[in-house]
Amino acid sequence: EVQLVESGGGMVQPGGSLRLSCAASGFTFSSTAMTWVRQYSEDRHEWVATINIGGTGTYYSSSVEGRFTISRDDAKNTMYLQMNRLLPEDTARYYCARVPPPFALGLVPKNYWGQGTQVTVSS
């Protein structure tokens, strides 16, 4: 059974940092491109970042470029999202997801998502 379990969310003040983790199981993590997406409301989602197989390529939305860093540790079957200089508009539920082939940037179908972790940026 494929499982993606996000952790590390919480409440932080503007300008602060959080590190999200995504623990993967049930599939060959090292052979899978991975991505982070965020959900603001039931019908509003945004692609955040993607990392390719091997971690040699990372890609970001313009809204997080320069503030967020996506990474992966294939030995631990875990992906990360380091979020720095957080803004109130970063408040959302963050999901990690598998990227189905062929490799592409952007949102992936919800059946590839984990259960999410809430990030709230507020003073």
Side-chain angles (χ1 to χ4, degrees):
E1 178 189 5
V2 171
Q3 283 198 320
L4 295 170
V5 180
E6 300 91 336
S7 61
M11 180 174 287
V12 63
Q13 292 188 340
S17 298
L18 282 174
R19 188 195 196 201
L20 305 184
S21 297
C22 171
S25 62
F27 64 100
T28 306
F29 180 77
S30 60
S31 298
T32 306
M34 298 291 295
T35 191
W36 288 97
V37 300
R38 59 189 179 186
Q39 181 174 352
Y40 301 102
S41 63
E42 185 64 32
D43 58 356
R44 187 172 163 228
H45 314 94
E46 182 185 24
W47 167 70
V48 176
T50 295
I51 188 166
N52 67 355
I53 296 171
T56 55
T58 57
Y59 312 87
Y60 301 91
S61 70
S62 58
S63 60
V64 307
E65 178 94 50
R67 299 187 298 120
F68 290 11
T69 302
I70 189 172
S71 62
R72 65 190 298 159
D73 185 339
D74 289 347
K76 296 182 178 179
N77 283 359
T78 302
M79 177 177 66
Y80 304 97
L81 186 68
Q82 177 67 44
M83 305 186 296
N84 298 329
R85 305 201 311 272
L86 282 159
L87 304 169
E89 48 263 46
D90 294 318
T91 296
R93 190 165 185 84
Y94 285 71
Y95 297 83
C96 70
R98 297 177 292 146
V99 179
F103 178 81
L105 303 182
L107 292 173
V108 299
K110 284 190 175 181
N111 57 303
Y112 288 89
W113 298 14
Q115 89 289 353
T117 185
Q118 179 67 34
V119 171
T120 302
V121 184
S122 175
S123 55

